[in-house]
Amino acid sequence: PKANTKQRRRRKTKRSSYASIATTKPIKSNLRLASNMMMSSKLACSALVAIRACNYASSFSFSLLPAATTISIRRNIVPSSPRSVLFSLSATDADDAVASTEPAEKKEKPKKQAPPPPPPIDISKLDIRVGLIERCWEHEEADKLYCEEINLGEESGPRQIASGLKAHYSAEEMTGKMVLVLANLKSRKLMGFPSHGMVMCGVKEGAAEDGSEDTVELISPPEGAAVGDRIICSGFEGEPATENQVIKKKMLNAIFPDLKVNGEGVAVYKDVPLTAGGENACTSDSLKNVPIS
């Protein structure tokens, strides 16, 4: 029995020694791992603190400090947050040690200026010229149209224009007559005939809806006006619009309601006479108080 007890004790001591050896090794390795983790966490925290400090510093503007100013920095070994890095400032004269914590002022972008208002649409946008009808003939397919060649003093020669005046003038009466021509209109075909412009007339509408009872008279240029002269209106000076602008901006719809023959038989725009730059005005032979078209 005594031998058995001794053997048992030896076995227990061996087991305990084995157990101690087995347990001490993991403990030591765990301690090393923990210390390494602490060091890496310290380094990571320090780097994070430095980044945060730079971010905070970049959002503030600082002023120069006096020469007697000292700055000391106190750090925690393991900071709990980036704000745990504390900066203490001491100065001999507190009034001179000024650190501006106001954010930098943002530069205001210059405001874009509003575009200027578009020029008004008035009779100055129309290019009305004095023309001479050199030739007039009946349209082959249209019952109411005349085909005319009108000299506007252009280098390209006379313009071809179609007018619905067959019911009001004969071809002989039209030939050789001085007229007003709206020249800045795009060329278009009327019953197959290319018409580039419009002859201006005073119109008194009759009772018939088809216009058969209308009274139409050509507007005559001022006395002394030459072929190619531009018709103007005092107070409405300016360069005429292009052919595309006249159509695109619907200028005729805006201008023609104010264009008429007044009670004295004078062609006017907003009650201002149409002239060729002189004292004489454009007129109608007999019509009064009628629109011009």
Side-chain angles (χ1 to χ4, degrees):
K2 291 182 180 179
N4 293 334
T5 55
K6 289 181 179 181
Q7 289 179 357
R8 290 174 183 173
R9 287 177 182 175
R10 288 176 183 176
R11 291 173 182 174
K12 287 182 179 179
T13 54
K14 287 182 180 181
R15 290 175 182 174
S16 62
S17 63
Y18 292 153
S20 63
I21 292 170
T23 55
T24 53
K25 287 184 178 180
I27 290 172
K28 290 180 180 179
S29 62
N30 290 336
L31 288 175
R32 289 177 183 175
L33 180 61
S35 63
N36 291 335
M37 291 177 65
M38 289 291 292
M39 291 297 294
S40 61
S41 64
K42 288 178 183 179
L43 294 175
C45 290
S46 300
L48 180 60
V49 167
I51 294 172
R52 291 292 181 88
C54 292
N55 290 337
Y56 281 116
S58 63
S59 63
F60 297 96
S61 60
F62 299 91
S63 61
L64 295 176
L65 301 177
T69 304
T70 60
I71 300 175
S72 61
I73 301 176
R74 184 174 73 254
R75 296 180 183 173
N76 293 334
I77 296 175
V78 183
S80 59
S81 67
R83 296 185 180 179
S84 61
V85 177
L86 304 177
F87 296 90
S88 61
L89 174 66
S90 62
T92 56
D93 188 359
D95 294 335
D96 295 336
V98 179
S100 176
T101 59
E102 296 180 358
E105 295 182 358
K106 294 182 179 180
K107 293 183 180 180
E108 294 183 357
K109 295 182 180 180
K111 295 182 179 179
K112 294 183 179 180
Q113 295 182 355
I121 298 177
D122 53 43
I123 196 171
S124 65
K125 301 300 180 183
L126 301 184
D127 189 14
I128 304 174
R129 299 284 175 172
V130 176
L132 173 65
I133 300 176
E134 295 181 345
R135 183 179 171 213
C136 179
W137 67 96
E138 295 181 1
H139 194 287
E140 295 179 355
E141 298 179 2
D143 296 334
K144 299 181 179 180
L145 291 181
Y146 276 136
C147 301
E148 305 122 14
E149 287 184 356
I150 303 179
N151 184 6
L152 299 180
E154 297 174 323
E155 294 182 357
S156 57
R159 288 198 186 190
Q160 290 188 339
I161 298 175
S163 304
L165 297 173
K166 191 173 180 181
H168 308 284
Y169 290 92
S170 64
E172 290 76 13
E173 291 175 332
M174 294 280 292
T175 304
K177 203 167 187 65
M178 297 282 283
V179 293
L180 300 185
V181 176
L182 180 55
N184 57 339
L185 294 179
K186 293 191 72 173
S187 178
R188 60 173 184 168
K189 289 187 176 182
L190 296 178
M191 300 294 292
F193 181 80
S195 179
H196 192 191
M198 183 181 75
V199 177
M200 301 184 70
C201 303
V203 180
K204 182 179 180 180
E205 295 182 356
E209 295 182 357
D210 59 357
S212 58
E213 298 180 7
D214 293 350
T215 302
V216 179
E217 285 186 359
L218 295 168
I219 301 297
S220 300
E223 293 183 6
V227 171
D229 286 349
R230 186 185 177 193
I231 300 300
I232 59 175
C233 187
S234 179
F236 300 95
E237 291 79 11
E239 293 297 321
T242 64
E243 296 178 354
N244 288 329
Q245 288 174 341
V246 171
I247 295 175
K248 185 176 180 180
K249 297 185 178 181
K250 300 179 180 181
M251 292 185 177
L252 300 184
N253 295 338
I255 297 171
F256 269 85
D258 296 314
L259 197 59
K260 62 182 180 179
V261 178
N262 64 11
E264 298 177 356
V266 176
V268 297
Y269 173 74
K270 293 186 176 181
D271 297 328
V272 180
L274 304 183
T275 68
E279 296 181 356
N280 298 326
C282 303
T283 58
S284 176
D285 292 337
S286 61
L287 294 180
K288 296 179 181 180
N289 296 321
V290 296
I292 296 176
S293 62

